[in-house]
Amino acid sequence: KKQFYRNEFRKKHPNAREERFDLLDDGAEVKFLEFIRGQSLFDPFTLSSLENVYEVTSEQFLDALMACMNNPHATVIINEEKPPPKPFKFLLEKPSIVKEFSYLAGRELQKYLDETSKQYGVTFSRNVLERLAEAYKNDTWGIVTEIQKMALLCKKTIENEDFESAKVLKFEIE
């Protein structure tokens, strides 16, 4: 779903600045603050995708997030597994939009994998897709990355032996 919202944003603001920040990475907080304070000459809109937000509790960071809430040009996507702790409760208030998404599983995951594969012009044997889903569990971003890598092989159908030769997966195929 995160990708869906990014794509919708891009349709409305094709020249907007966009950046992803994992706040556990060194310097990510400073980079985020610089990003949202900066302004483009071409488009005032920004899209920030944040992970591990609750790990940063500096007053400067919290103030910046609050400012983003009231800035019609700033869109922030926060990806967290748990509800916000006390210092971040303001994220649940308007004008914020909070959506909860459960992990894909079973047929929903299979449908997602099939659609994503078609987007990149490849098909996978059912066995390969099942192994991808098993290896990456709830990490659909990781699965998409692997599908993109496999699409670079320029083959119509990807089989187990293709993984073996490409050595792109984080698991071994038996």
Side-chain angles (χ1 to χ4, degrees):
K1 284 292 184 179
K2 189 168 41 171
Q3 189 63 38
F4 168 80
Y5 289 110
R6 281 189 188 124
N7 290 339
E8 290 300 306
F9 180 87
R10 288 177 189 139
K11 286 178 191 174
K12 291 181 182 177
H13 311 288
N15 298 317
R17 294 179 310 125
E18 181 179 344
E19 193 68 50
R20 180 190 159 278
F21 303 92
D22 183 339
L23 293 164
L24 289 179
D25 292 346
D26 287 338
E29 177 183 357
V30 172
K31 289 176 185 172
F32 169 71
L33 294 172
E34 290 171 354
F35 177 77
I36 60 166
R37 290 182 182 138
Q39 187 146 11
S40 170
L41 295 172
F42 305 106
D43 195 331
F45 291 92
T46 61
L47 174 63
S48 306
S49 183
L50 305 178
E51 295 179 18
N52 298 304
V53 172
Y54 307 151
E55 302 300 319
V56 180
T57 57
S58 71
E59 190 172 321
Q60 189 177 20
F61 178 72
L62 293 170
D63 288 346
L65 277 180
M66 281 191 228
C68 285
M69 287 178 58
N70 298 312
N71 180 348
H73 297 117
T75 299
V76 179
I77 297 174
I78 296 175
N79 186 29
E80 293 290 343
E81 291 185 23
K82 297 179 182 176
K86 190 173 184 176
F88 294 92
K89 290 293 184 192
F90 67 90
L91 293 173
L92 298 175
E93 300 167 3
K94 289 190 177 199
S96 291
I97 299 170
V98 178
K99 297 206 178 208
E100 192 172 321
F101 301 101
S102 58
Y103 292 115
L104 297 176
R107 289 182 188 193
E108 288 180 337
L109 179 59
Q110 210 60 54
K111 181 180 175 189
Y112 174 77
L113 294 175
D114 290 338
E115 289 172 359
T116 304
S117 299
K118 285 178 188 169
Q119 284 180 339
Y120 292 99
V122 294
T123 56
F124 291 83
S125 69
R126 185 62 47 202
N127 187 26
V128 170
L129 284 179
E130 288 170 1
R131 288 174 179 232
L132 266 175
E134 183 181 321
Y136 283 89
K137 306 257 188 264
N138 298 322
D139 182 8
T140 52
W141 190 260
I143 293 173
V144 171
T145 301
E146 295 303 333
I147 290 172
Q148 290 170 335
K149 289 176 188 178
M150 290 291 106
L152 295 174
L153 292 175
C154 299
K155 291 183 78 175
K156 286 277 188 196
T157 303
I158 305 297
E159 302 289 345
N160 284 340
E161 55 272 8
D162 298 316
F163 287 121
E164 197 67 37
S165 63
K167 296 185 182 186
V168 294
L169 291 178
K170 67 179 185 181
F171 66 97
E172 288 183 24
I173 304 246
E174 298 170 346

